[in-house]
Amino acid sequence: METKVKSKALHQFQEVTETIINPELKKWMDQGGKVAGYFCNAMPVELITAAGFFPFRIRATGSTSTELSDSYFSSINCSFPRHAFDMALKGEYDFLDALVMFNSCDHIRRVYDHWVRQVKTPFVKILSLPRKAEQPQVEWFRSELNMLRESMQEHFGVEITDDRLREAIALHNKSRRSQRALYDLRKGDNPPITGAEMLAVSVAGTAMPVGVYNKLLQEMLDDISGADGHSNYRARLMVIGGELDNPKYLKAIEDQGGLVVTDALCFGSRMIWEDVDETADDPLTALSRYSIAERPSCARMYTQYPKRLQYIRNMVKDFNVDGVIFERLMFCETWGFEQYSLTQDLKELNIPLLCMDREYTLTAVGQLKTRVQAFLETLGR
Ligand code: SF4
């Protein structure tokens, strides 16, 4: 689906998603700035920003093989961690000063076990991420974040004060609000941007300094206000699932005539649909509560499935969605369980659903296109 907007900012965001080291990251490092990588969107990026570091979410963009990581992982491991670790073994993540990980799933946890032994990142930490989201878990995760704060302060000689956390929360909430403003523009009959373009905007937000990102987001909002929107589409689609950081995957779907008007992806709306509480006395507790209890959760939070289902129902209604596409990386148990539950519940709700397994790298595009075309036929538009 061709673009409808002329926006230098959007073009810059799209370029950022096509490489690991982008011009803004290079500029930051050339000026002596430090970079802390993280794997999962449970990471409160504010803690990294408050340390004066650049929070960079790990992707495996550009990876074409897992020849090195195959010595550490079996072929029935998720392809995202395999490609990401392969890039690390090839030195493509040597620019990291720090890496923060979570036991988000067994595949990622295994990356930690190997990364600390095989990759020379000066500071690597794994935090325990609860699977429930009640008050005891919020307190638990707050203590994990506090341990991270203290060890970063000690290791790098930086100060991560509550005031700096509050400043960082305000900055990142501004990004979230601007991204939600872009989503709101897609609720109408003629959305000005495609799903692939919105994913590029979201992914770029995990790979640019927040100040630069916020400025470009505002530029893009200005560029597209009043732009003609897309009208020649066959159906309004929502995409749900885990790790998806490649806009080309959504473009392949949209090139069949369906317009992706919203999503529940971990590189998409689930990162930005709520704000961190800026009025809380204790910013670290606010970040903990936000990460595990307030923002739309990951499928690993089993007790929160009813809340996630309601989130999807609200999205379907608010964005006038005709059909849902569920994507899952092969061998991902976490989203495998979710797929089973959603298949039952969306059927009962008469919400058409197409489930697709995929590899991290964009393969089997022909099969993808055929299945999406057949799905659009069933939606009868
Ligand atoms: S997609 Fe699933 S298996 Fe792969 S890293 Fe994410 S949660 Fe783990």
Side-chain angles (χ1 to χ4, degrees):
M1 198 164 284
E2 296 317 307
T3 187
K4 285 284 183 188
V5 289
K6 287 197 178 22
S7 169
K8 272 215 206 99
L10 172 58
H11 187 63
Q12 200 170 336
F13 291 145
Q14 288 168 321
E15 283 184 338
V16 166
T17 65
E18 286 160 11
T19 59
I20 293 294
I21 298 196
N22 64 69
E24 289 298 334
L25 173 58
K26 190 169 178 327
K27 204 191 299 177
W28 173 277
M29 295 192 292
D30 290 350
Q31 291 162 354
K34 289 195 176 335
V35 183
Y38 62 99
F39 259 91
C40 171
N41 73 9
M43 175 70 220
V45 286
E46 289 85 350
L47 209 156
I48 297 176
T49 299
F53 282 43
F54 180 135
F56 185 90
R57 187 167 172 184
I58 303 291
R59 292 176 275 132
T61 308
S63 177
T64 53
S65 88
T66 56
E67 58 200 354
L68 298 183
S69 64
D70 286 349
S71 313
Y72 301 89
F73 289 94
S74 86
S75 57
I76 58 162
N77 275 116
C78 171
S79 51
F80 167 54
R82 284 166 45 211
H83 277 281
F85 187 59
D86 195 84
M87 291 182 85
L89 291 171
K90 285 174 178 151
E92 299 191 44
Y93 273 108
D94 285 358
F95 64 87
L96 294 179
D97 301 283
L99 177 69
V100 183
M101 303 183 69
F102 299 89
N103 56 331
S104 31
C105 70
D106 290 344
H107 305 257
I108 291 288
R109 208 172 43 67
R110 183 59 65 207
V111 173
Y112 169 78
D113 297 336
H114 295 310
W115 195 300
V116 284
R117 290 173 180 78
Q118 306 301 332
V119 185
K120 299 195 176 19
T121 308
F123 178 94
V124 182
K125 288 283 178 223
I126 188 164
L127 305 189
S128 166
L129 188 60
R131 286 190 181 276
K132 291 175 69 178
E134 319 300 330
Q135 188 51 28
Q137 288 79 33
V138 170
E139 288 162 16
W140 169 281
F141 194 53
R142 186 211 181 276
S143 65
E144 290 287 303
L145 294 178
N146 196 46
M147 278 199 288
L148 176 63
R149 168 160 69 173
E150 288 173 355
S151 45
M152 282 187 80
Q153 290 181 146
E154 194 190 329
H155 185 91
F156 293 105
V158 294
E159 266 205 288
I160 308 175
T161 62
D162 282 0
D163 285 345
R164 294 191 70 168
L165 283 173
R166 289 192 184 91
E167 284 163 26
I169 288 171
L171 272 175
H172 287 283
N173 273 349
K174 188 167 186 297
S175 309
R176 296 180 182 110
R177 283 193 288 274
S178 298
Q179 288 180 69
R180 289 200 300 271
L182 284 171
Y183 273 82
D184 286 345
L185 293 172
R186 300 158 71 200
K187 288 178 177 170
D189 290 345
N190 302 332
I193 56 173
T194 66
E197 289 168 338
M198 185 66 224
L199 183 60
V201 173
S202 303
V203 171
T206 70
M208 298 178 95
V210 62
V212 175
Y213 183 63
N214 285 350
K215 190 170 144 298
L216 285 170
L217 269 178
Q218 192 49 55
E219 270 179 36
M220 183 176 166
L221 280 164
D222 298 343
D223 293 341
I224 64 177
S225 60
D228 289 345
H230 294 272
S231 54
N232 183 22
Y233 53 84
R234 295 174 60 194
R236 297 169 66 86
L237 301 174
M238 175 178 186
V239 178
I240 300 174
E243 211 289 341
L244 173 60
D245 59 37
N246 187 351
K248 293 193 179 83
Y249 184 84
L250 293 189
K251 187 169 185 328
I253 290 172
E254 293 180 308
D255 285 349
Q256 310 323 302
L259 183 65
V260 177
V261 292
T262 191
D263 66 78
L265 295 168
C266 75
F267 259 99
S269 74
R270 285 196 285 114
M271 279 196 305
I272 55 119
W273 217 246
E274 301 288 339
D275 282 348
V276 178
D277 178 3
E278 292 183 30
T279 64
D281 295 340
D282 175 20
L284 213 53
T285 298
L287 287 171
S288 172
R289 189 176 299 114
Y290 173 80
S291 286
I292 65 165
E294 290 171 344
R295 68 187 180 90
S297 63
C298 167
R300 69 183 296 287
M301 308 296 277
Y302 301 126
T303 59
Q304 297 220 320
Y305 173 73
K307 206 174 153 193
R308 281 195 300 281
L309 180 60
Q310 190 54 50
Y311 176 68
I312 292 165
R313 293 181 72 177
N314 296 346
M315 280 282 197
V316 166
K317 182 167 146 293
D318 297 347
F319 288 81
N320 191 17
V321 167
D322 300 304
V324 171
I325 293 183
F326 181 96
E327 58 80 22
R328 179 182 78 109
L329 282 169
M330 302 269 280
F331 313 117
C332 171
E333 313 85 6
T334 302
W335 286 93
F337 300 137
E338 191 89 347
Q339 182 175 334
Y340 175 79
S341 308
L342 276 177
T343 304
Q344 317 297 321
D345 291 324
L346 293 189
K347 195 168 177 197
E348 268 167 39
L349 294 163
N350 288 325
I351 298 174
L353 174 69
L354 171 66
C355 295
M356 301 223 275
D357 285 352
R358 63 183 185 95
E359 283 291 337
Y360 178 78
T361 51
L362 191 56
T363 55
V365 177
Q367 189 199 49
L368 165 74
K369 292 180 175 178
T370 307
R371 295 197 61 200
V372 171
Q373 285 164 3
F375 184 55
L376 292 174
E377 291 298 327
T378 64
L379 298 178
R381 283 194 51 178

